[in-house]
Amino acid sequence: MRSRVFSGIQPTGVIHLGNYLGAIKSWVDLQYKHDSFFCIVDYHAITVPYDPADMRQRIFDAAVANIAAGLDPDVATIFVQSHVPEHTELTWLLNSITPMGWLGRMTQFKEKSEQFKENVNVGLFDYPVLQAADILLYKAEVIPVGEDQVQHIELTRDIARKFNSTFGDTFPEPKALLSPAARIMALNDPAKKMSKTLPGSYIGISDLPAEIRDKMMKAVTDAGPTPGQEMSPGTANLFTLLKEFSAPETVRRFQEEYDSGAIRYSELKSVLADDIVAALAPFREKREELLGKPVVVKNILRQGADRARLYARETLLEVKGKMGLL
Ligand code: AQP
């Protein structure tokens, strides 16, 4: 039997190169090899401050962006988390076996509660249990994510193991699958990860060519190459992007120039920006096309939720039965 893949993305307005290279790109490859579920996780997105007037559009935009990036509704199940109420129901059941100490250790919770001091809500604390429910509801085994999510997948394994040992074997223990570019760094501050809440850090996959060039030219590098020593984080980040977007001969050429000390970072940035613009062109075209077909997109999401619910209901019945609730 083909193993099952689950992954999610928050409808938080912007999909950047980190999201794309860390997660979406590998989803596109995996969907043809596995039974795949891809979810727009709106319940996760409401755990930080947001404008309700924008949310509907952001969910729609996230669906459009992912389909335009290559998710194929004919082979993968693409749906919105809040359309499948079993996600929150399983969360409650899993809450009852998850120690608070496990959640208090989560790096994302610590960072977000620092970032949103005025609104450290229970949902933000419980976020990883909802994520565990997302995954376990489909008994998914392969979870393609960026490096920042590995800790949450480990926690999901712990929750699965605890459930299995308490109530009997039910869930497989899922594994994080990291892409070769699992941690893209901020362009303006390479010590931090590229992130939509860090202004100037990211290139969005729907950015216009001029914006892409402008952001790339401002990327932080260093005073000059240091052949034989470790590359500075900013330059290493540009080489990671170069390996993803440029031809192997281009990568080789800049690597040789770096090694000989002859590299000009302005030239590297300019070539890289052009290659990113070219690579994203088909995406921009497809996105424009889908934005003009809202009914088609909504139907994809409705059919996705209908299919997802078939699996979700079955798992929930099994779990409730094992917990003595049926
Ligand atoms: N910089 C990154 N490098 C590689 N992968 C990344 N991901 C996110 N940032 C990077 C991966 O993208 C997937 C979708 O994640 P998400 O929807 O939870 O987005 P996020 O992590 O909230 O994105 P941001 O921009 O980092 O948001 P903020 O600013 O809110 O923290 C996940 O698989 C994630 O690992």
Side-chain angles (χ1 to χ4, degrees):
M1 203 179 79
R2 296 193 305 170
S3 50
R4 191 163 292 156
V5 169
F6 178 93
S7 206
I9 190 150
Q10 299 192 64
T12 30
V14 171
I15 292 183
H16 52 68
L17 292 185
N19 302 134
Y20 177 66
L21 298 175
I24 301 171
K25 194 168 169 228
S26 52
W27 303 357
V28 171
D29 296 336
L30 288 165
Q31 66 185 337
Y32 297 108
K33 300 182 202 129
H34 299 272
D35 188 15
S36 303
F37 290 76
F38 297 111
C39 187
I40 296 161
V41 289
D42 51 350
Y43 279 155
H44 284 283
I46 61 171
T47 58
V48 293
Y50 72 102
D51 183 352
D54 291 346
M55 188 49 102
R56 204 164 291 118
Q57 186 62 37
R58 279 169 28 186
I59 294 170
F60 177 76
D61 288 346
V64 164
N66 281 286
I67 299 165
L71 280 193
D72 180 351
D74 289 333
V75 295
T77 303
I78 306 166
F79 66 105
V80 179
Q81 187 182 33
S82 66
H83 295 180
V84 181
E86 286 77 7
H87 285 248
T88 41
E89 204 172 345
L90 183 60
T91 303
W92 186 256
L93 301 173
L94 298 180
N95 275 339
S96 70
I97 59 157
T98 307
M100 284 173 59
W102 289 4
L103 299 182
R105 281 199 289 276
M106 293 296 109
T107 310
Q108 180 179 288
F109 173 67
K110 289 185 202 159
E111 285 174 0
K112 296 262 152 147
S113 27
E114 197 45 46
Q115 198 178 350
F116 301 104
K117 280 198 182 78
E118 271 77 67
N119 184 13
V120 184
N121 58 70
V122 177
L124 193 61
F125 186 66
D126 205 27
Y127 184 116
V129 183
L130 176 58
Q131 190 169 347
D134 297 338
I135 293 167
L136 299 177
L137 205 45
Y138 302 98
K139 301 194 176 183
E141 289 160 281
V142 182
I143 320 297
V145 282
E147 214 172 73
D148 57 317
Q149 290 300 322
V150 170
Q151 193 184 33
H152 286 172
I153 309 306
E154 290 296 324
L155 182 91
T156 302
R157 291 168 67 82
D158 291 340
I159 294 175
R161 207 172 301 130
K162 178 131 186 234
F163 188 96
N164 291 344
S165 65
T166 311
F167 299 110
D169 217 18
T170 309
F171 297 118
E173 289 180 28
K175 282 202 186 74
L177 182 72
L178 291 180
S179 76
R183 192 167 169 81
I184 301 298
M185 307 313 287
L187 293 179
N188 59 349
D189 182 358
K192 298 192 175 131
K193 72 161 195 158
M194 182 177 282
S195 160
K196 60 191 147 266
T197 47
L198 191 63
S201 79
Y202 65 83
I203 288 178
I205 62 173
S206 23
D207 280 355
L208 296 170
E211 287 176 282
I212 296 177
R213 291 196 179 95
D214 184 51
K215 288 179 181 176
M216 184 51 74
M217 293 323 276
K218 290 186 184 139
V220 170
T221 48
D222 50 57
T226 48
Q229 291 173 36
E230 209 179 317
M231 256 183 205
S232 71
T235 306
N237 198 38
L238 296 189
F239 269 90
T240 303
L241 294 174
L242 201 68
K243 283 178 197 138
E244 293 290 332
F245 290 107
S246 301
E249 349 27 298
T250 309
V251 182
R252 218 170 15 249
R253 184 190 122 209
F254 281 112
Q255 183 68 54
E256 281 166 14
E257 289 183 6
Y258 180 89
D259 293 341
S260 70
I263 194 165
R264 284 181 27 240
Y265 290 138
S266 57
E267 194 196 345
L268 166 71
K269 289 176 182 179
S270 162
V271 170
L272 178 55
D274 285 347
D275 288 344
I276 293 175
V277 167
L280 295 180
F283 162 79
R284 270 194 300 274
E285 224 169 88
K286 179 88 182 151
R287 179 171 171 271
E288 287 301 318
E289 184 196 320
L290 287 166
L291 286 175
K293 295 182 183 166
V295 177
V296 171
V297 176
K298 283 180 188 154
N299 276 340
I300 290 172
L301 295 178
R302 195 177 40 76
Q303 283 164 13
D306 288 347
R307 180 164 190 273
R309 278 202 92 177
L310 297 176
Y311 294 86
R313 277 206 201 101
E314 200 178 311
T315 305
L316 201 64
L317 283 177
E318 183 187 357
V319 168
K320 286 169 93 171
K322 288 192 170 147
M323 292 180 80
L325 297 165
L326 282 182

